[in-house]
Amino acid sequence: MSSVIVDPGVDVPVPARGELWTVGAVILNRRGEAFAQRRSADRRLFPGAWDLVGGHVEPGETLLQALAREVAEETGWRLRRVRTLLGVTAWTGDDGGGLRHEADYLVEVDGNLDRPALEWSKHSAYGWFGPADLHRLTEDRAPGELLIHDLIAQVVNGLPEVGA
């Protein structure tokens, strides 16, 4: 974790006792496309949905430690830089897990972006999404389930910090 650069002004919330938190990472390639992976159809939470790299913050972890761990576990890449907090949302899944708070970040990673080491038991596909591909992120999603689409759209459609 010590080698991860966190840009000035990036907010990192500290979970209160008893709160459940998740983290998400928007990762861009050199073409400015964002990485997403499709959750396996047998997943209890959001089956078949496109998702960011990320997951639950484990007890005793900071949000940034969880972000680095999830990036490594889900892609084999190494978190290098946290550029921007894209937003914090609260949501309740259909898995009985209760209210979760989610912090999503624009990040940079080290590793071969052409060959992610996906957790194939949890994900069935991956892709890179630019402005022309955003519609794919809404596949099989209800109108209220567009968080992933909206986060990626915010970034690939010109978040001011991108390319700065």
Side-chain angles (χ1 to χ4, degrees):
M1 259 309 295
S2 60
S3 61
V4 174
I5 299 164
V6 179
D7 285 6
V10 173
D11 186 30
V12 181
V14 176
R17 180 179 296 273
E19 286 182 339
L20 297 175
W21 278 77
T22 61
V23 291
V26 175
I27 300 165
L28 299 178
N29 63 18
R30 287 186 179 94
R31 296 178 301 279
E33 298 163 325
F35 182 83
Q37 51 195 355
R38 187 182 285 275
R39 296 171 66 85
S40 299
D42 60 355
R43 296 287 294 274
R44 174 72 177 108
L45 193 61
F46 307 119
W50 287 102
D51 202 2
L52 299 177
V53 172
H56 286 89
V57 178
E58 301 293 338
E61 275 186 322
T62 67
L63 270 62
L64 294 182
Q65 288 168 335
L67 194 64
R69 177 182 51 77
E70 291 288 351
V71 167
E73 287 177 359
E74 294 187 4
T75 65
W77 302 328
R78 188 182 66 80
L79 182 63
R80 176 172 28 97
R81 179 179 173 199
V82 180
R83 295 179 57 181
T84 304
L85 173 65
L86 296 170
V88 174
T89 56
W91 55 272
T92 302
D94 60 1
D95 64 346
L99 179 69
R100 294 170 178 92
H101 303 272
E102 180 169 337
D104 294 299
Y105 293 90
L106 175 62
V107 305
E108 294 176 5
V109 298
D110 287 326
N112 184 345
L113 298 185
D114 294 327
R115 297 185 56 87
L118 258 59
E119 291 181 291
W120 291 108
S121 63
K122 296 181 179 182
H123 299 98
S124 59
Y126 71 90
W128 292 96
F129 295 82
D133 309 303
L134 292 174
H135 66 280
R136 293 177 47 216
L137 296 170
T138 64
E139 293 170 354
D140 302 320
R141 296 294 91 205
E145 297 177 345
L146 298 180
L147 176 64
I148 304 308
H149 168 275
D150 294 350
L151 285 167
I152 288 178
Q154 175 186 5
V155 173
V156 301
N157 284 328
L159 183 72
E161 291 86 356
V162 175

